[in-house]
Amino acid sequence: MSSDRETVLYPREDGMALFGAVLPAEQAAEMGQAVDAHAATFDNDGRTLAQKRADALYDLVVNRNGVVGDCASPVRGRAAAVVQVTVPLDVLVGAEDGPAELKGYGPITAGQAREIAFAPGTIWRRLITDPGSGLLVKVDPTTYRPTADAERQVIARDQYCAFPSCRMPAHRCDVDHVEPFDHERPEAGGLTVPDNLQPLCRRHHRLKTHHPGWRVTRDPHTGIASWTSPTGHTYRNAPPVYRE
């Protein structure tokens, strides 16, 4: 039944893994044909047909290289895949050769970790852990999504949507970056820290994001959000103040 469809990922020895999918038969047949067609475009470089088919599947899914249906229109553009590898700094720089951890798989070799880390387009995220317990202490603020702790802090701090006069409860809002996050150069854009985050209801989140002319700044000392409209008018919104 089509309701049984799923993908599977099983670790194997020597740093390998089995990836597959349970699909309706007609879809599986179409995928097989697409893989065979793409594998046939590879050069005769010593790879077996089985190896080419495996490489073709990876190329079609991750790099999005191939053709659509029976037409000759190529599909291009690398998929927005996230591969999470946790590796000690001394292993990453080559001072040690201990194992790393590939999320969803398990231990991988130091060489595999370095190959992933230094591949073109890779973005590093720093995780600070407690040396004794190994527990995560802090996440690099150049990641797009806030941590659960940061989100809880913003919701408790502001209580309502940060747009002036809006009373949508913060727990029903999106947690938005005041200074926009730079997805291409995370270190250059707005950091994912409470001082640069604010709760916005979906309506005002869309207003800020999609309507040119609206600007917002937030004073980290007072917590006051200052909104400037396309007409140049300024509106201020102050979060609740807690008194002992």
Side-chain angles (χ1 to χ4, degrees):
M1 295 176 61
S2 60
S3 60
D4 296 328
R5 60 189 183 277
E6 62 175 338
T7 60
V8 294
L9 175 61
Y10 298 123
R12 300 182 69 173
E13 296 180 354
D14 300 325
M16 303 295 286
L18 171 65
F19 177 85
V22 179
L23 297 168
E26 65 276 12
Q27 292 183 1
E30 289 176 343
M31 285 188 62
Q33 293 171 2
V35 168
D36 286 344
H38 191 44
T41 67
F42 293 164
D43 295 332
N44 292 323
D45 51 11
R47 284 179 289 179
T48 65
L49 177 58
Q51 291 169 341
K52 287 183 178 181
R53 294 184 83 251
D55 293 344
L57 176 62
Y58 177 85
D59 204 28
L60 287 168
V61 174
V62 177
N63 295 324
R64 294 182 179 176
N65 290 327
V67 295
V68 179
D70 296 327
C71 67
S73 300
V75 179
R76 292 290 185 267
R78 190 174 180 86
V82 176
V83 177
Q84 182 174 316
V85 178
T86 304
V87 54
L89 181 61
D90 54 357
V91 173
L92 184 64
V93 300
E96 298 288 343
D97 279 321
E101 185 77 13
L102 175 61
K103 184 177 181 180
Y105 175 82
I108 59 174
T109 67
Q112 288 176 306
R114 293 183 196 119
E115 182 177 352
I116 296 171
F118 295 105
T122 294
I123 297 175
W124 294 7
R125 311 293 194 208
R126 182 181 58 183
L127 306 178
I128 301 175
T129 58
D130 181 273
S133 66
L135 295 176
L136 182 64
V137 176
K138 185 178 180 182
V139 178
D140 194 326
T142 56
T143 55
Y144 177 65
R145 293 190 179 277
T147 63
D149 283 343
E151 188 169 337
R152 282 193 293 266
Q153 180 178 335
V154 170
I155 291 172
R157 180 195 68 198
D158 293 351
Q159 295 191 22
Y160 298 98
C161 173
F163 191 85
S165 77
C166 184
R167 302 300 288 175
M168 178 68 72
H171 70 271
R172 295 176 56 188
C173 295
D174 302 329
V175 176
D176 174 62
H177 290 75
V178 178
E179 179 187 349
F181 184 84
D182 190 330
H183 289 271
E184 296 297 326
R185 298 176 57 221
E187 72 284 354
L191 296 179
T192 308
V193 295
D195 282 345
N196 191 48
L197 296 172
Q198 61 183 353
L200 288 181
C201 69
R202 187 55 55 88
R203 175 189 175 191
H204 292 123
H205 192 174
R206 288 173 176 165
L207 179 76
K208 171 180 175 287
T209 304
H210 300 296
H211 290 261
W214 281 98
R215 302 188 307 276
V216 61
T217 59
R218 182 181 181 278
D219 188 319
H221 302 292
T222 65
I224 294 176
S226 299
W227 290 78
T228 304
S229 72
T231 61
H233 293 83
T234 300
Y235 306 90
R236 291 179 173 83
N237 183 69
V241 176
Y242 293 90
R243 304 289 188 186
E244 294 185 356

